[in-house]
Amino acid sequence: MIKKARKLGRGVAIVGAGMSKFGTFRGMSGRDLVVEAFKEMRASVDKGFDPNDIEALYVGNLSSDLFEGQAHTAPIIADWLGMIPKPATRIEDACASSGVALREGIIAIASGLYDIVLVAGVEKMTDLPTERVTDTLAAAADAIYELPAGFTFPGLYAAIATAHMKKYGTKIEHFMKVAIKNHDNGALNPKAQFNSSIRDIMASRMKKAEERGQPVPAWRDEMDFLNDPQANPIIAWPMRLFDCSPITDGAACILLAAEEIAKNFTDNPIYIIGAGQASDVALHQREDLTSITAAKVAAQQAYEMAGVKPQDIQIAEVHDCFTIAEIVATEDLGFFNPGEAPKAVEDGIMARDGAKPINTSGGLKSKGHPVGASGAGQVVEIWSQMRGEAGARQVRGKDITLALTHNVGATGGTCVVHIYERR
Amino acid sequence: MEQREFSGASFYQFLGEGKLMASRCKKCGTLYLPPKPLCTRCYSNEMEWAQMKGKGKLAAFTTIAVAPTLMMEEGYGRDNPYCTGVVELEEGPKISARILGVDAKKPEEIEVGTPLTVEFVERGEGEQKKTFLAFRA
Ligand SMILES: [Zn+2]
């Protein structure tokens, strides 16, 4: 096998980033959501820029085909952004679609072909009834060998959870603590679908019961609420409702520029210094069911390119489509030894004020998971945190100069990792 | 049977005949389950079918309450969850399968490592008949 050190042909920087609100938006199509994200991205470019200078568009999207009955969505989005006749390309790698779109945009600039590229991610999921959303997402698994066994998307991650529980003694309470943490962060994110902590949700349910003259549930604390099968029903054991990311509409946009012209846009660009991507087999074909090999390989590539180690990373947005996924992700990225992420969650290390803040945005769990937009959405959070613009959820007491995103397609068939630097 | 394509269609056709079949590289002996038409280890095109004994153990599982359309049509759902999992065969390969003989309403009592035996689940009639892979505890 040919092995060589991977590096970019020239430097690439993020000079603008923005996202639509994540949630349920009746009457808005995918293209409308991208326009929302584009407007915010445009406003984020400190020195302004002429949209006509964008040379190409890369769009991450899982299934506008099934969700919206719309294939060939990239040129339509290009039209809505005024980019015709520039090249527009859609990238589909399940939930890693826009993480990979970002990578393709970076490669296009690094190659010297373009100087300014727009990366977008979008998914409009809520027009379909829940059962059909479940089927559409499940189509990202192996349709010949996994789906006939009755597997769903939550079911596959639930299976990873049982393997992790068996091998490392991980408890259901650890999963719940990931949910509590990410909801705490999401409560401070005005763009989040669940802009509320678990405590807020408990309080609002108690109030509603009282207003309706129904018996008011007497939950002692968040864990008591999450253990209540009425409040938190099983989706695919051991994953309950509050272990699963929601069904979400949303879009995000990132403006990339060649390093040598980045300062024309802002005095404070965020440089991409590491990039990695890898693939893996279906879950049942893996030797170890407690880890995602593609994530380890992609992370290794990114760390090597950046010349940094896992312990150097100050904050990260990782792919928490399910609570178990955040535990596996932080182990695969080398932040914790295999089997030790559950304890790290318990000890508050991944909290916003902990040693290694993870998913300060609220993660996919609380911010929402518009599958094709999730990877680009992670980058918007890193952009805000690194520039000190994250408002109430800004990580305090750290000058953030090194950050990472980790975006997974389905159960890890695809993983893409990027490392960011502020100079 | 040697002549069948190394495909998903053949895999399910074999299940209908009560056989769990993998493909094996004639050159390097690598076993593929699901069956592959090409040895992706040595790139030989020379493959043969190999019948699995149908014995294994549970490597990972879940009990599903929010079911996909396929399983809802069989009557599964919120009030009637089912168990599905990854089974590690004695021969080495792992495969996704429905898990029978466990109480899907008591998932905390189901154990990774439980010994399992293959079973072939038939659904539908005549032309519509399909066979699914299952393992029983
Ligand atoms: Zn071979």
Side-chain angles (χ1 to χ4, degrees), chain B residues 25 27-30 32 39 41-44:
Chain B
C25 174
K27 208 170 146 204
C28 75
T30 304
Y32 293 98
C39 178
R41 186 155 170 250
C42 78
Y43 287 97
S44 163

Side-chain angles (χ1 to χ4, degrees), chain A residues 131 134-135 144-152 155 158-160 162-163 166 233-238 283-287 289, chain B residues 8 11-12 34-35 59-66 68-72 78 82 84-86 94-98 107 112 132:
Chain A
E131 313 82 66
T134 303
D135 288 346
I144 300 177
Y145 295 106
E146 289 180 319
L147 302 188
F151 266 121
T152 56
I160 293 174
T162 60
K166 176 73 178 181
I234 291 168
I235 304 295
W237 191 89
L283 183 65
H284 58 219
Q285 290 168 256
R286 292 181 199 163
E287 212 150 296
L289 300 175
Chain B
F11 174 83
Y12 283 98
F61 71 95
T62 179
T63 61
I64 295 182
V66 177
T69 309
L70 172 77
M71 299 305 283
M72 282 196 290
R78 180 80 61 195
Y82 61 95
T84 185
V86 174
K94 296 201 245 346
I95 187 81
S96 296
R98 304 181 183 193
V112 169
F132 293 99

